[in-house]
Amino acid sequence: MPRVSQDHLDARRRQILDGSRVCFARYGYEGATVRRLEEATGLSRGAIFHHFRDKESLFLALAEEDAARMADVVAAQGLVQVMRDLLSGAGEQPAEWLATRLEVSRRLRTDPEFRARWAERSQLLTQATKLRLQRKLEAGNLRDDVDVDVLTSYLELVLEGLVSHLAMGLPADDLGPVLDLVEESVRHQRVRASLEA
Amino acid sequence: MPRVSQDHLDARRRQILDGSRVCFARYGYEGATVRRLEEATGLSRGAIFHHFRDKESLFLALAEEDAARMADVVAAQGLVQVMRDLLSGAGEQPAEWLATRLEVSRRLRTDPEFRARWAERSQLLTQATKLRLQRKLEAGNLRDDVDVDVLTSYLELVLEGLVSHLAMGLPADDLGPVLDLVEESVRHQRVRASLEA
């Protein structure tokens, strides 16, 4: 068996993740058969499952990657920006991102075991949101009459609603002003008052 | 063939709706087979489909009944109260209500034909919400710097998020203050200011 470099292993892993992301987005979790994953990645099942224990581990790796990417956007621009990206389709790979998220939502509903495996990963986004809000609070830009935990839950609830809305194929072209309202409602009262004046 | 009174027909229709509601909630739309619907209603398939053209029509009748019931709560107490009922489980048949709603969400995602049939029915709730907000605006209790259509979409988006949240089995015991925030964010600035003072 030939020795392979770490670079080569990383590239392979990347190739599997990118291909399978498209495959999951198109066929859903159950529909993404091993044969289709082979086609989408251009690799054999042996190669794929050398890198990932099973299909669920592969899917969780994708979902985790998305959560990390979202957490980066949250840290820099806030959770409302994640929603704006989702709405405009201007974000990086928005379609696949949404598809993975929907698949996560669906499996959370139907699969208690998956729920447990996902719980720790979902903390990533919550923590990033909470940290961002905490910083805005310290800078005097966040309302201080409502607990940061409540504001975090609020923003996450709206995100979940947006994901569900888009998933149901409902019209989304009028949701920009709704997100403005959401953003405004977590701001400091003083900031809100000056904007409304 | 014996003649049956209108009362008798209405009672039968009621019996079918109540039984099939429980059946759909337990098994989901696909899992609610005709045999199970017979068991749950205590009636034969002949009797059931004398009243409803097919399973989809039966399901839509239930969904419509829920939408009408929600619209009543909205008219009297607002959409945030619908969410509070959903949260507390204090509403009338909350579990079945949620189950039907989830099934609607799922089929909207996967079935374009169903989407068309549902579109007109879903207007009921939107209209009730809009009307209620319009009245609050006229009474001076609603913020007047954001369009009523935007406020309506905002509340519906949060409701969708809440439904999805509950469906995923995520903890909901900390969402009361989140709904307070949602309710506050549509109030008139003057009212908000006095509450925050």
Side-chain angles (χ1 to χ4, degrees):
Chain A
M1 195 171 162
R3 289 199 359 201
V4 288
S5 70
Q6 186 61 42
D7 277 359
H8 182 79
L9 283 173
D10 289 350
R12 269 289 153 89
R13 193 183 146 88
R14 189 69 266 150
Q15 183 180 354
I16 296 166
L17 286 169
D18 290 344
S20 59
R21 178 183 293 281
V22 176
C23 189
F24 283 125
R26 179 175 300 170
Y27 301 109
Y29 184 79
E30 270 79 22
T33 57
V34 173
R35 179 173 291 275
R36 281 176 171 157
L37 286 169
E38 287 181 319
E39 279 168 22
T41 58
L43 293 169
S44 70
R45 59 193 68 198
I48 295 171
F49 296 117
H50 174 69
H51 287 265
F52 298 93
R53 202 182 61 202
D54 49 26
K55 193 166 92 167
E56 170 145 313
S57 300
L58 174 54
F59 178 76
L60 276 169
L62 281 174
E64 194 167 8
E65 209 171 64
D66 286 347
R69 201 183 298 162
M70 284 167 74
D72 285 345
V73 177
V74 167
Q77 300 171 279
L79 193 59
V80 175
Q81 188 57 45
V82 169
M83 300 188 217
R84 290 195 200 280
D85 288 350
L86 195 54
L87 210 55
S88 69
E92 195 188 341
Q93 297 180 306
E96 284 86 4
W97 180 96
L98 179 60
T100 311
R101 172 89 194 189
L102 282 173
E103 202 58 41
V104 167
S105 295
R106 195 185 64 74
R107 301 199 61 211
L108 282 172
R109 282 198 285 272
T110 54
D111 185 344
E113 206 168 310
F114 179 80
R115 201 178 290 172
R117 289 190 71 179
W118 176 249
E120 40 195 298
R121 286 164 178 86
S122 70
Q123 282 305 308
L124 204 60
L125 191 63
T126 302
Q127 287 311 325
T129 304
K130 207 170 281 186
L131 195 63
R132 161 110 183 157
L133 291 178
Q134 194 62 46
R135 284 198 184 131
K136 290 188 77 167
L137 180 67
E138 282 154 17
N141 293 324
L142 197 77
R143 62 188 303 163
D144 52 11
D145 57 336
V146 177
D147 198 87
V148 165
D149 286 349
V150 173
L151 296 177
T152 302
S153 298
Y154 167 67
L155 293 179
E156 289 189 314
L157 199 65
V158 175
L159 171 65
E160 198 51 59
L162 186 62
V163 166
S164 185
H165 186 96
L166 295 174
M168 291 189 287
L170 299 173
D173 44 346
D174 60 340
L175 290 182
V178 172
L179 295 187
D180 293 341
L181 171 59
V182 171
E183 195 156 44
E184 186 243 49
S185 59
V186 301
R187 280 205 198 101
H188 193 284
Q189 188 187 346
R190 173 179 43 71
V191 183
R192 277 181 286 152
S194 72
L195 285 167
E196 284 163 13
Chain B
M1 196 172 160
R3 288 201 358 204
V4 286
S5 70
Q6 187 60 43
D7 278 359
H8 182 78
L9 283 173
D10 289 350
R12 269 289 152 87
R13 193 183 146 85
R14 189 69 265 151
Q15 183 180 353
I16 296 166
L17 286 169
D18 290 345
S20 59
R21 179 183 292 282
V22 176
C23 189
F24 283 125
R26 179 175 303 168
Y27 300 111
Y29 184 79
E30 270 78 23
T33 58
V34 173
R35 177 173 295 273
R36 281 175 172 159
L37 286 169
E38 287 181 318
E39 280 169 23
T41 60
L43 293 168
S44 71
R45 60 193 69 197
I48 294 171
F49 297 117
H50 174 71
H51 287 264
F52 298 93
R53 203 180 61 202
D54 49 26
K55 192 167 94 169
E56 171 145 313
S57 300
L58 175 54
F59 178 76
L60 276 168
L62 281 174
E64 193 167 7
E65 211 172 62
D66 286 347
R69 200 183 300 161
M70 283 167 74
D72 285 346
V73 177
V74 167
Q77 301 172 278
L79 193 58
V80 175
Q81 189 56 47
V82 170
M83 300 187 219
R84 290 195 199 279
D85 288 351
L86 196 53
L87 209 56
S88 68
E92 195 188 342
Q93 297 180 305
E96 284 85 3
W97 180 96
L98 178 60
T100 312
R101 172 88 195 189
L102 281 173
E103 201 58 40
V104 167
S105 296
R106 195 185 64 74
R107 301 199 60 212
L108 282 172
R109 281 198 284 271
T110 54
D111 185 344
E113 207 168 308
F114 179 81
R115 203 177 288 174
R117 291 189 71 179
W118 176 248
E120 39 196 299
R121 285 165 178 86
S122 69
Q123 282 306 308
L124 204 61
L125 191 63
T126 302
Q127 287 310 324
T129 304
K130 209 170 279 186
L131 194 65
R132 161 110 183 158
L133 291 179
Q134 194 63 46
R135 283 196 186 132
K136 290 187 76 167
L137 180 66
E138 283 154 19
N141 293 324
L142 198 76
R143 62 187 302 162
D144 53 10
D145 59 334
V146 176
D147 199 87
V148 165
D149 285 349
V150 173
L151 296 178
T152 303
S153 298
Y154 167 68
L155 292 179
E156 289 190 313
L157 200 64
V158 176
L159 172 64
E160 197 52 59
L162 186 61
V163 167
S164 186
H165 186 95
L166 294 174
M168 291 188 289
L170 299 172
D173 45 345
D174 60 341
L175 290 182
V178 172
L179 295 187
D180 293 341
L181 171 60
V182 170
E183 196 156 43
E184 185 241 53
S185 60
V186 301
R187 280 205 197 101
H188 193 286
Q189 190 188 344
R190 173 178 44 71
V191 183
R192 277 181 286 150
S194 73
L195 284 168
E196 284 164 15

